[in-house]
């Protein structure tokens, strides 16, 4: 049986070029993902192509573009279990996986560095969309000499079939955590994030200790293929939603034919900070009746009061629609830094009161109906 897979393209682009230049390279070379047949590419090929040096950056299309027709996936046996896999590998017995690729996915004007990291688990750490992997960075815990580091949890940014559609990889979206001394303004490496820096510095072929998968709160409900899913993310919190959307719009899964509405709100600092934007924009073009996509760029856009535009401002902008959809049974998801929730909760409470409703009662009902899904860190 012929199987569709990813169209792989490698382009050498100057490292100091900005994001718009890197995007334009694809246009200059007239690359079409719609007109050319899919070509199967193995993770090993990506390892060979994912090369970095001081003066150049090789853009490997591990972050695939959406395309019609949808992509065939395997093994379909991953659809058989009725319950999600949970804690197959625990901290005392982690699974040793392999780094396939590490790709910077933000422009130079983004505050900080965010990487898309593909991990080969060989099919031994299966997961469902919305779950997380635990990662144990190498070295010992400074607070417990002789003991390994604590597990760090990362939301998985791919479907159960992975970026190569073969069920053997998982992808993470990781922002490098760097600490700057508030007095000197200089970086203090001793306080940098141990795991995020390990992951962003990894090279193809490096080994990585993973645990899990874990989590049930963010699982994508599939009992109703025509349901409405409202997804609200800040920064790398978009990870699980990328998995949802690939399953809905990119992959051909015989048991799941999505015909509902997916609405993504993504909050980041600026245009260069947008994550997977080309992928989401392609869904918007191909499935305008089933996908909506709103961006909140805090350093570039203004809200209705003239202040910075945050995701809660976008929620307020579309509050009537959102509340009507929730009344109709829509699921709403929140993922990102825990600091996002107070502002969002305040906005929803204010909107509810304007509508003559009690937010406390409404929230209680949403939770009771399992429409409310939150994963913050």
């Amino acid at each position: 049986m012929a199987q569709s897979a990813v169209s792989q393209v490698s382009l050498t682009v100057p490292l100091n070029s900005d994001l718009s230049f890197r995007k334009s390279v694809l246009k200059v070379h007239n690359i079409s993902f719609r007109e050319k047949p899919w070509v199967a590419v193995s993770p090993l090929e990506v390892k060979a192509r994912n090369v970095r040096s001081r003066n150049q950056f090789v853009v490997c299309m591990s972050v695939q573009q959406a395309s019609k027709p949808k992509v065939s996936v395997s093994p379909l046996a991953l659809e058989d279990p009725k319950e999600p896999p949970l804690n197959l590998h625990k901290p005392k017995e982690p699974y040793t996986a392999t780094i396939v690729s590490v790709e910077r996915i933000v422009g130079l004007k983004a505050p900080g560095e965010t990487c898309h990291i593909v991990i080969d688990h060989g099919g031994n750490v299966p997961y469902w969309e919305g779950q997380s992997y635990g990662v144990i960075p190498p070295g010992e815990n400074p607070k417990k000499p002789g003991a390994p580091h604590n597990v760090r949890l990362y939301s998985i940014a791919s479907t159960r079939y992975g970026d190569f559609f073969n069920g053997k990889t998982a992808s993470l979206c990781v922002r490098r955590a760097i600490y700057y001394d508030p007095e000197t303004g200089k970086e203090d490496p001793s306080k940098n994030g141990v795991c995020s820096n390990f992951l962003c510095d990894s090279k193809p072929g490096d080994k990585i200790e993973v645990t899990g998968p874990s989590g049930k709160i963010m699982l994508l409900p599939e009992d109703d293929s025509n349901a409405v899913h409202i997804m609200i993310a800040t920064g790398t919190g978009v990870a699980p939603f990328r998995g949802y959307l690939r399953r809905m719009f990119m992959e051909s899964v015989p048991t799941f034919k999505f015909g509902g509405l997916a609405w993504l709100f993504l909050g980041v600092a600026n245009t260069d900070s947008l994550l997977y934007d080309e992928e989401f924009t392609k869904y918007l073009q191909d499935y305008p009746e089933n996908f909506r996509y709103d961006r909140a760029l805090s350093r570039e856009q203004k809200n209705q009061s003239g202040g910075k535009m945050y995701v809660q401002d976008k929620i307020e902008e579309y509050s009537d629609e959102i509340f009507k959809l929730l009344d109709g049974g829509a699921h709403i998801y929140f993922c990102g830094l825990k600091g996002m929730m107070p502002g969002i909760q305040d906005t929803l409470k204010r909107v509810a009161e304007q509508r003559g409703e009690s937010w406390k009662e409404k929230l209680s009902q949403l939770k009771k109906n399992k429409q409310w899904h939150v994963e913050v860190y």
Side-chain angles (χ1 to χ4, degrees):
M1 180 178 72
Q3 178 176 333
S4 298
V6 53
S7 179
Q8 175 86 12
V9 181
S10 291
L11 300 171
T12 300
V13 183
L15 181 58
N16 59 1
S17 62
D18 62 20
L19 185 62
S20 60
F21 175 76
R22 288 192 278 124
K23 289 180 179 178
S24 70
V25 172
L26 298 181
K27 297 176 182 177
V28 170
H29 284 74
N30 197 28
I31 296 168
S32 171
F33 293 90
R34 179 174 298 203
E35 298 172 0
K36 296 184 180 181
W38 292 98
V39 179
V41 178
S42 72
L44 289 176
E45 289 180 77
V46 172
K47 290 180 186 178
R49 299 181 191 192
N50 199 279
V51 181
R52 292 185 176 189
S53 74
R54 290 183 61 185
N55 298 319
Q56 63 181 23
F57 186 92
V58 177
V59 181
C60 290
M61 295 308 297
S62 59
V63 183
Q64 293 92 350
Q65 308 301 305
S67 179
K68 291 182 180 180
K70 291 186 175 181
V71 185
S72 296
V73 293
S74 66
L76 290 177
L78 290 176
E79 302 294 325
D80 294 341
K82 301 303 180 184
E83 294 294 326
L86 286 170
N87 302 312
L88 302 178
H89 299 274
K90 299 182 179 180
K92 291 186 177 180
E93 295 181 347
Y95 180 77
T96 302
T98 305
I99 297 290
V100 175
S101 62
V102 177
E103 179 181 347
R104 178 185 170 111
I105 55 172
V106 293
L108 295 178
K109 295 179 182 178
E113 177 183 15
T114 301
C115 294
H116 181 79
I117 300 164
V118 181
I119 300 168
D120 184 353
H121 59 76
N124 296 298
V125 196
Y127 57 89
W128 283 9
E129 298 73 25
Q131 288 192 298
S132 299
Y133 266 1
V135 176
I136 303 175
E140 66 176 36
N141 191 329
K143 296 182 180 179
K144 298 178 182 178
H149 283 288
N150 293 331
V151 174
R152 272 71 163 182
L153 292 178
Y154 291 93
S155 298
I156 298 171
S158 51
T159 72
R160 66 193 70 183
Y161 297 101
D163 282 2
F164 299 97
F165 313 106
N166 61 8
K168 295 183 178 180
T169 69
S171 299
L172 305 180
C173 181
V174 180
R175 177 169 175 169
R176 186 190 294 274
I178 296 178
Y179 177 84
Y180 293 95
D181 186 285
E183 294 184 3
T184 65
K186 294 183 179 180
E187 179 184 344
D188 184 350
S190 67
K191 296 182 180 180
N192 285 348
V194 174
C195 198
S196 65
N197 280 273
F198 159 67
L199 288 168
C200 291
D201 288 335
S202 294
K203 302 293 187 294
D206 287 354
K207 300 302 178 182
I208 175 175
E209 302 289 302
V210 299
T211 66
S214 63
K216 296 178 71 174
I217 190 66
M218 295 291 285
L219 292 176
L220 180 65
E222 296 188 359
D223 52 328
D224 179 6
S225 60
N226 293 317
V228 175
H229 303 274
I230 303 168
M231 301 159 281
I232 299 165
T234 58
T236 58
V238 77
F241 306 142
R242 178 182 185 255
Y244 295 176
L245 296 170
R246 288 170 75 87
R247 186 164 174 82
M248 292 172 179
F249 302 125
M250 182 181 287
E251 297 179 344
S252 176
V253 181
T255 56
F256 182 61
K257 304 291 186 182
F258 184 66
L261 172 66
W263 191 355
L264 173 63
F265 291 86
L266 175 58
V268 294
N270 55 23
T271 302
D272 263 24
S273 303
L274 287 168
L275 303 171
Y276 311 112
D277 187 61
E278 291 184 14
E279 200 165 301
F280 300 150
T281 300
K282 194 65 167 59
Y283 300 144
L284 201 58
Q285 294 171 355
D286 288 346
Y287 302 94
E289 301 300 317
N290 304 98
F291 183 52
R292 293 177 67 173
Y293 178 32
D294 283 278
R295 312 164 183 85
L297 309 178
S298 62
R299 298 187 184 181
E300 295 180 2
Q301 298 174 331
K302 299 293 183 182
N303 60 25
Q304 293 178 345
S305 302
K308 292 183 177 180
M309 175 71 79
Y310 294 109
V311 283
Q312 59 262 34
D313 298 310
K314 282 291 181 182
I315 292 172
E316 187 167 17
E317 189 177 328
Y318 294 101
S319 58
D320 283 343
E321 283 185 84
I322 290 173
F323 270 68
K324 287 177 183 177
L325 290 171
L326 291 175
D327 290 342
H331 290 271
I332 189 165
Y333 312 80
F334 304 88
C335 191
L337 293 173
K338 60 183 178 182
M340 70 186 277
M341 290 310 295
I344 290 174
Q345 289 269 31
D346 289 345
T347 296
L348 292 172
K349 180 181 179 181
R350 183 171 62 255
V351 171
E353 291 174 349
Q354 291 171 352
R355 293 166 57 89
E357 301 180 58
S358 165
W359 173 242
K360 184 177 180 180
E361 292 178 7
K362 192 172 192 69
L363 177 59
S364 177
Q365 192 63 44
L366 290 172
K367 291 179 177 179
K368 183 179 178 181
N369 295 342
K370 297 182 178 180
Q371 295 172 253
W372 183 267
H373 313 263
V374 179
E375 184 174 84
V376 292
Y377 40 86

Coordinates of all heavy atoms in Angstrom, one line a residue, residues 168-231:
K168 N 6.9 6.6 15.7 CA 8.2 6.3 16.4 C 8.9 7.6 17.0 O 9.9 7.5 17.6 CB 9.1 5.6 15.5 CG 8.6 4.2 15.1 CD 9.6 3.5 14.2 CE 9.1 2.1 13.9 NZ 10.0 1.3 13.0
T169 N 8.3 8.7 16.8 CA 8.9 10.0 17.3 C 7.9 10.8 18.1 O 6.7 10.6 17.9 CB 9.5 10.8 16.2 OG1 8.5 11.4 15.4 CG2 10.5 10.0 15.3
A170 N 8.4 11.7 18.9 CA 7.6 12.7 19.6 C 8.4 14.0 19.5 O 9.6 14.0 19.4 CB 7.5 12.3 21.1
S171 N 7.6 15.1 19.5 CA 8.2 16.4 19.3 C 7.9 17.3 20.6 O 6.8 17.2 21.1 CB 7.7 17.1 18.1 OG 8.1 16.4 16.9
L172 N 8.9 18.1 21.0 CA 8.8 19.0 22.1 C 9.0 20.4 21.6 O 9.8 20.6 20.7 CB 9.7 18.7 23.2 CG 9.7 17.2 23.8 CD1 10.8 17.1 24.9 CD2 8.4 16.9 24.3
C173 N 8.3 21.4 22.2 CA 8.5 22.8 21.9 C 9.1 23.4 23.2 O 8.4 23.5 24.2 CB 7.2 23.4 21.5 SG 7.3 25.2 21.1
V174 N 10.4 23.8 23.1 CA 11.1 24.2 24.3 C 11.7 25.6 24.2 O 12.4 25.8 23.2 CB 12.2 23.1 24.6 CG1 13.0 23.5 25.9 CG2 11.7 21.7 24.8
R175 N 11.4 26.4 25.2 CA 12.1 27.7 25.2 C 13.3 27.6 26.2 O 13.1 27.2 27.3 CB 11.1 28.8 25.7 CG 11.8 30.1 25.8 CD 10.9 31.3 26.0 NE 11.6 32.5 26.3 CZ 11.1 33.7 26.3 NH1 9.8 33.9 26.0 NH2 11.8 34.8 26.5
R176 N 14.4 28.1 25.7 CA 15.6 28.1 26.5 C 15.5 29.0 27.7 O 15.2 30.2 27.5 CB 16.8 28.4 25.6 CG 18.2 28.3 26.4 CD 19.3 29.0 25.6 NE 19.6 28.3 24.3 CZ 20.4 27.3 24.2 NH1 21.0 26.8 25.2 NH2 20.6 26.7 23.0
A177 N 15.6 28.5 28.9 CA 15.5 29.4 30.1 C 16.9 30.0 30.5 O 17.8 29.2 30.9 CB 14.9 28.6 31.2
I178 N 17.0 31.3 30.4 CA 18.2 32.0 30.7 C 18.0 33.0 31.8 O 17.0 33.7 31.7 CB 18.8 32.6 29.5 CG1 19.2 31.6 28.4 CG2 20.1 33.5 29.8 CD1 19.8 32.2 27.1
Y179 N 18.8 33.0 32.8 CA 18.6 33.9 33.9 C 19.6 35.1 33.8 O 20.8 34.9 33.6 CB 18.9 33.2 35.3 CG 18.7 34.1 36.5 CD1 17.5 34.4 37.0 CD2 19.9 34.7 37.0 CE1 17.4 35.2 38.1 CE2 19.8 35.6 38.1 CZ 18.5 35.8 38.7 OH 18.4 36.6 39.8
Y180 N 19.0 36.3 33.9 CA 19.8 37.5 33.9 C 19.7 38.2 35.3 O 18.7 38.4 35.8 CB 19.3 38.5 32.8 CG 19.5 38.0 31.4 CD1 18.5 37.3 30.7 CD2 20.7 38.2 30.8 CE1 18.7 36.8 29.4 CE2 20.9 37.7 29.5 CZ 19.9 37.0 28.8 OH 20.1 36.6 27.5
D181 N 20.9 38.5 35.8 CA 21.0 39.2 37.1 C 20.3 40.5 37.0 O 20.6 41.3 36.2 CB 22.4 39.3 37.5 CG 22.6 39.9 38.9 OD1 22.3 41.1 39.1 OD2 22.9 39.1 39.8
P182 N 19.3 40.8 37.9 CA 18.6 42.1 37.8 C 19.4 43.3 38.1 O 19.1 44.4 37.6 CB 17.5 41.9 38.9 CG 18.0 40.9 39.8 CD 18.8 39.9 39.0
E183 N 20.5 43.1 38.8 CA 21.4 44.3 39.1 C 22.4 44.6 38.0 O 22.6 45.7 37.6 CB 22.1 44.0 40.4 CG 21.2 44.0 41.6 CD 21.9 43.9 42.9 OE1 23.2 43.9 42.9 OE2 21.3 43.8 44.0
T184 N 23.0 43.5 37.5 CA 24.1 43.7 36.5 C 23.5 43.6 35.1 O 24.1 44.1 34.1 CB 25.2 42.7 36.7 OG1 24.7 41.4 36.4 CG2 25.8 42.8 38.1
G185 N 22.4 42.9 34.9 CA 21.8 42.7 33.6 C 22.6 41.6 32.8 O 22.3 41.4 31.6
K186 N 23.5 40.9 33.5 CA 24.3 39.9 32.8 C 23.7 38.5 33.1 O 23.1 38.3 34.1 CB 25.8 40.0 33.2 CG 26.5 41.3 32.8 CD 27.9 41.3 33.3 CE 28.7 42.5 32.8 NZ 30.1 42.5 33.2
E187 N 24.0 37.6 32.1 CA 23.5 36.3 32.3 C 24.3 35.6 33.4 O 25.5 35.7 33.6 CB 23.8 35.5 31.0 CG 23.3 34.0 31.0 CD 23.6 33.3 29.8 OE1 23.9 33.9 28.7 OE2 23.6 32.0 29.8
D188 N 23.6 34.8 34.2 CA 24.2 34.0 35.3 C 23.9 32.5 34.9 O 22.9 32.0 35.2 CB 23.5 34.3 36.6 CG 24.2 33.6 37.8 OD1 25.0 32.7 37.5 OD2 23.9 33.9 38.9
P189 N 24.9 31.9 34.3 CA 24.8 30.5 33.8 C 24.4 29.5 34.9 O 23.7 28.5 34.7 CB 26.1 30.2 33.2 CG 26.7 31.5 32.8 CD 26.2 32.4 33.9
S190 N 24.8 29.9 36.2 CA 24.6 28.9 37.3 C 23.1 28.9 37.6 O 22.6 27.9 38.3 CB 25.3 29.4 38.5 OG 24.8 30.6 39.0
K191 N 22.3 29.8 37.1 CA 20.9 29.8 37.4 C 20.0 29.6 36.1 O 18.8 29.7 36.2 CB 20.5 31.2 38.0 CG 21.1 31.4 39.4 CD 20.6 32.7 40.0 CE 21.3 32.9 41.4 NZ 20.8 34.2 42.0
N192 N 20.7 29.2 35.0 CA 20.0 28.9 33.8 C 19.2 27.6 34.0 O 19.5 26.8 34.8 CB 20.9 28.8 32.6 CG 21.4 30.2 32.2 OD1 20.9 31.2 32.6 ND2 22.4 30.2 31.3
G193 N 18.1 27.5 33.2 CA 17.3 26.2 33.2 C 18.2 25.0 32.8 O 18.6 25.0 31.6
V194 N 18.4 24.1 33.6 CA 19.2 22.9 33.3 C 18.7 22.1 32.1 O 19.4 21.8 31.2 CB 19.4 22.0 34.5 CG1 20.1 20.7 34.2 CG2 20.1 22.7 35.7
C195 N 17.4 21.8 32.2 CA 16.8 20.9 31.2 C 16.6 21.6 29.9 O 16.9 21.0 28.8 CB 15.5 20.3 31.7 SG 15.0 18.8 30.8
S196 N 16.1 22.8 29.9 CA 15.8 23.5 28.6 C 17.1 23.7 27.9 O 17.1 23.6 26.6 CB 15.0 24.8 28.9 OG 15.8 25.7 29.6
N197 N 18.2 24.1 28.6 CA 19.4 24.3 27.9 C 20.0 23.0 27.4 O 20.6 23.0 26.3 CB 20.4 25.0 28.8 CG 20.2 26.5 28.9 OD1 20.7 27.3 28.1 ND2 19.3 26.9 29.9
F198 N 19.9 21.9 28.1 CA 20.3 20.6 27.7 C 19.6 20.3 26.3 O 20.2 19.8 25.4 CB 20.1 19.6 28.7 CG 20.0 18.2 28.2 CD1 21.1 17.5 27.7 CD2 18.8 17.5 28.2 CE1 21.1 16.2 27.2 CE2 18.7 16.2 27.7 CZ 19.9 15.6 27.2
L199 N 18.3 20.5 26.3 CA 17.5 20.1 25.1 C 17.9 21.0 23.9 O 18.1 20.5 22.8 CB 16.0 20.2 25.4 CG 15.5 19.1 26.3 CD1 14.1 19.4 26.8 CD2 15.5 17.7 25.6
C200 N 17.9 22.3 24.2 CA 18.2 23.2 23.0 C 19.7 23.1 22.5 O 19.9 23.4 21.4 CB 17.9 24.6 23.5 SG 16.2 25.0 23.7
D201 N 20.6 22.6 23.4 CA 22.0 22.4 23.0 C 22.2 21.0 22.4 O 23.3 20.7 21.9 CB 22.9 22.6 24.1 CG 23.0 24.0 24.5 OD1 22.8 24.9 23.7 OD2 23.3 24.3 25.7
S202 N 21.2 20.1 22.4 CA 21.4 18.7 22.0 C 21.7 18.7 20.5 O 21.3 19.6 19.7 CB 20.1 17.9 22.3 OG 20.0 17.8 23.7
K203 N 22.3 17.6 20.1 CA 22.7 17.3 18.7 C 22.0 16.0 18.3 O 21.8 15.1 19.1 CB 24.2 17.3 18.5 CG 24.9 18.5 18.9 CD 24.6 19.7 18.0 CE 25.5 20.9 18.4 NZ 25.2 21.4 19.7
P204 N 21.8 15.9 17.0 CA 21.2 14.6 16.5 C 22.1 13.4 16.9 O 23.3 13.5 16.8 CB 21.2 14.8 15.0 CG 21.1 16.2 14.8 CD 21.9 16.9 15.9
G205 N 21.5 12.4 17.4 CA 22.2 11.2 17.9 C 22.4 11.2 19.4 O 22.7 10.2 20.0
D206 N 22.3 12.4 20.1 CA 22.4 12.4 21.5 C 21.3 11.6 22.2 O 20.2 11.5 21.7 CB 22.3 13.9 22.0 CG 23.6 14.7 21.7 OD1 24.6 14.1 21.2 OD2 23.6 15.9 22.0
K207 N 21.7 11.0 23.3 CA 20.7 10.2 24.1 C 19.9 11.1 25.1 O 20.5 12.1 25.6 CB 21.4 9.1 24.8 CG 22.1 8.1 23.9 CD 21.1 7.5 22.8 CE 21.9 6.6 21.9 NZ 20.9 6.0 20.8
I208 N 18.7 10.7 25.4 CA 17.9 11.5 26.3 C 17.0 10.6 27.1 O 16.4 9.6 26.5 CB 17.0 12.5 25.5 CG1 16.0 13.3 26.4 CG2 16.3 11.8 24.4 CD1 15.2 14.3 25.7
E209 N 16.9 10.8 28.4 CA 16.2 9.9 29.3 C 14.7 10.5 29.4 O 14.6 11.7 29.8 CB 16.8 9.9 30.7 CG 18.3 9.4 30.7 CD 18.3 7.9 30.4 OE1 17.7 7.1 31.1 OE2 19.0 7.6 29.4
V210 N 13.7 9.7 29.0 CA 12.4 10.2 29.1 C 11.5 9.3 30.0 O 11.7 8.1 30.1 CB 11.7 10.3 27.7 CG1 12.5 11.3 26.8 CG2 11.6 8.9 27.0
T211 N 10.5 9.9 30.6 CA 9.5 9.2 31.4 C 8.1 9.5 30.8 O 7.9 10.4 30.0 CB 9.6 9.6 32.9 OG1 9.2 11.0 33.0 CG2 11.0 9.5 33.4
G212 N 7.2 8.7 31.3 CA 5.8 9.0 30.9 C 5.3 7.9 29.9 O 5.8 6.8 29.9
P213 N 4.3 8.3 29.2 CA 3.7 9.7 29.1 C 2.8 9.9 30.3 O 2.4 8.9 31.0 CB 2.8 9.6 27.8 CG 2.5 8.2 27.7 CD 3.6 7.4 28.2
S214 N 2.4 11.1 30.6 CA 1.6 11.5 31.7 C 0.5 12.5 31.3 O 0.6 13.1 30.3 CB 2.4 12.0 32.8 OG 3.0 13.3 32.4
G215 N -0.5 12.5 32.1 CA -1.6 13.5 31.9 C -2.8 13.0 31.2 O -2.7 12.3 30.2
K216 N -4.0 13.5 31.7 CA -5.3 13.1 31.1 C -6.2 14.3 30.9 O -7.1 14.3 30.1 CB -6.0 12.1 32.0 CG -5.3 10.8 32.1 CD -6.1 9.8 33.0 CE -7.3 9.3 32.4 NZ -8.0 8.3 33.2
I217 N -5.8 15.4 31.6 CA -6.7 16.6 31.6 C -6.8 17.3 30.2 O -7.8 17.9 29.8 CB -6.3 17.7 32.6 CG1 -7.3 18.8 32.8 CG2 -4.9 18.3 32.2 CD1 -8.6 18.3 33.3
M218 N -5.7 17.2 29.4 CA -5.6 17.8 28.1 C -5.9 16.9 26.9 O -5.7 17.2 25.8 CB -4.3 18.5 27.9 CG -4.0 19.7 28.8 SD -5.1 21.1 28.6 CE -4.3 21.8 27.1
L219 N -6.3 15.7 27.2 CA -6.6 14.8 26.1 C -7.7 15.3 25.2 O -8.7 15.9 25.7 CB -7.1 13.4 26.7 CG -6.0 12.6 27.4 CD1 -6.6 11.3 28.0 CD2 -4.8 12.2 26.4
L220 N -7.6 15.1 23.9 CA -8.6 15.6 23.0 C -9.8 14.7 22.9 O -9.7 13.6 22.5 CB -7.9 15.7 21.6 CG -8.8 16.2 20.4 CD1 -9.2 17.7 20.6 CD2 -8.1 16.0 19.1
P221 N -11.0 15.2 23.4 CA -12.2 14.4 23.3 C -12.5 14.1 21.9 O -12.7 15.0 21.1 CB -13.2 15.2 24.0 CG -12.5 16.3 24.7 CD -11.2 16.5 23.9
E222 N -12.7 12.8 21.6 CA -13.0 12.5 20.2 C -14.4 11.7 20.0 O -14.7 11.2 19.0 CB -11.9 11.6 19.6 CG -10.6 12.4 19.5 CD -9.5 11.6 18.7 OE1 -9.8 10.5 18.3 OE2 -8.4 12.1 18.6
D223 N -15.2 11.8 21.1 CA -16.5 11.1 21.0 C -17.4 11.8 20.1 O -18.4 11.2 19.5 CB -17.1 11.0 22.4 CG -17.2 12.3 23.1 OD1 -16.3 13.2 22.9 OD2 -18.1 12.6 23.9
D224 N -17.2 13.1 19.8 CA -18.0 13.9 18.9 C -17.1 14.6 17.9 O -16.4 15.6 18.2 CB -18.8 14.9 19.7 CG -19.7 15.8 18.7 OD1 -19.7 15.5 17.5 OD2 -20.3 16.8 19.2
S225 N -17.0 14.1 16.7 CA -16.1 14.6 15.7 C -16.5 16.0 15.2 O -15.8 16.7 14.5 CB -16.0 13.7 14.5 OG -17.2 13.5 13.9
N226 N -17.7 16.4 15.6 CA -18.2 17.8 15.1 C -18.2 18.8 16.3 O -18.8 19.8 16.2 CB -19.6 17.6 14.6 CG -19.7 16.8 13.3 OD1 -18.9 17.0 12.4 ND2 -20.7 15.9 13.2
A227 N -17.5 18.5 17.3 CA -17.4 19.3 18.5 C -16.6 20.6 18.2 O -15.9 20.7 17.2 CB -16.8 18.6 19.7
V228 N -16.8 21.6 19.1 CA -16.0 22.9 19.0 C -14.9 22.8 20.1 O -15.2 22.5 21.2 CB -17.0 24.1 19.3 CG1 -16.1 25.4 19.3 CG2 -18.0 24.1 18.2
H229 N -13.7 23.2 19.6 CA -12.6 23.2 20.5 C -11.9 24.6 20.5 O -11.4 25.0 19.5 CB -11.5 22.1 20.1 CG -12.1 20.8 20.0 ND1 -12.2 19.9 21.1 CD2 -12.6 20.1 19.0 CE1 -12.7 18.8 20.8 NE2 -13.0 18.8 19.5
I230 N -12.0 25.3 21.6 CA -11.4 26.6 21.7 C -10.1 26.5 22.5 O -10.0 26.1 23.7 CB -12.3 27.6 22.5 CG1 -13.7 27.7 21.8 CG2 -11.7 29.0 22.6 CD1 -14.8 28.4 22.6
M231 N -8.9 26.8 21.9 CA -7.6 26.6 22.4 C -6.9 27.9 22.7 O -6.8 28.7 21.8 CB -6.8 25.8 21.4 CG -7.4 24.4 21.1 SD -6.8 23.7 19.6 CE -7.7 24.6 18.4

